[in-house]
Amino acid sequence: MSKILIDGYNLIGIFHKDLKKARDELIQALIQYRNKKGHDITVVFDGYKEGPGKETVEYRAGVRIIYSGANEKADDIIKRILSTEKFSWIVITSDKEIEKAAWKENCVAVDSSVFFDILNGEEFYFEQKRGMTLSKKQKAILKAISKL
């Protein structure tokens, strides 16, 4: 079982006619994924634009869902979680700043597009070419992906 920390809107994108619907669909997909794989999942969304004005946390079928409060972005909460909840997180994001924060805290950042495909039942396949040498970071990413 892995601990997965997800940059919510980064994963689903923000170009939806109905962002609430897209968010709810992602949460349902994460619940199904959790039930199948058993991972501990936390997903963080920006809530400062339409939320209650303060950070809120809720749980749905074991998935922890966090909405940022006023004057705070999901990125801020993700960085705070990384620095205070000392686990070997697999961080799902395509945001370079969050990726950098994850590596700084000895966690592994996996690109959102890779996790999106895995979440949708697609196999991740990596072919290492003969003579190709992987960096420590690349090896860590491949190991994390194999756990997903």
Side-chain angles (χ1 to χ4, degrees), residues 54-85:
K54 64 177 185 161
E55 184 178 320
T56 58
V57 179
E58 64 181 70
Y59 291 85
R60 287 195 214 165
V63 174
R64 179 170 67 159
I65 305 156
I66 302 174
Y67 298 93
S68 67
N71 300 318
E72 188 173 42
K73 293 187 177 187
D75 293 8
D76 301 324
I77 293 172
I78 292 168
K79 289 176 192 173
R80 185 180 73 227
I81 290 171
L82 288 170
S83 67
T84 60
E85 297 181 25

Side-chain angles (χ1 to χ4, degrees), residues 2 4 6 26-41 61 63 90 92 114-122 144-148:
S2 298
I4 303 173
I6 301 170
L26 173 62
I27 292 168
Q28 281 307 118
L30 292 174
I31 289 168
Q32 291 173 357
Y33 181 75
R34 182 188 183 280
N35 290 339
K36 182 178 168 184
K37 296 287 193 167
H39 296 307
D40 184 357
I41 299 174
V63 174
I90 297 174
I92 307 301
V114 171
F115 185 72
F116 183 84
D117 289 347
I118 291 169
L119 194 60
N120 288 302
E122 296 181 28
I145 290 170
S146 73
K147 294 178 181 179
L148 298 173

Side-chain angles (χ1 to χ4, degrees), residues 132-148:
M132 179 182 198
T133 304
L134 298 176
S135 69
K136 285 173 102 175
K137 189 181 276 190
Q138 290 169 321
K139 288 177 185 176
I141 292 169
L142 288 175
K143 184 176 180 182
I145 290 170
S146 73
K147 294 178 181 179
L148 298 173

Side-chain angles (χ1 to χ4, degrees), residues 4-55:
I4 303 173
L5 179 59
I6 301 170
D7 185 349
Y9 286 137
N10 185 268
L11 180 58
I12 62 173
I14 57 171
F15 302 105
H16 295 274
K17 289 182 180 178
D18 188 344
L19 201 52
K20 182 182 181 331
K21 181 181 177 192
R23 185 178 60 226
D24 288 341
E25 287 173 353
L26 173 62
I27 292 168
Q28 281 307 118
L30 292 174
I31 289 168
Q32 291 173 357
Y33 181 75
R34 182 188 183 280
N35 290 339
K36 182 178 168 184
K37 296 287 193 167
H39 296 307
D40 184 357
I41 299 174
T42 299
V43 60
V44 184
F45 295 102
D46 288 315
Y48 66 94
K49 290 181 182 177
E50 59 184 56
K54 64 177 185 161
E55 184 178 320

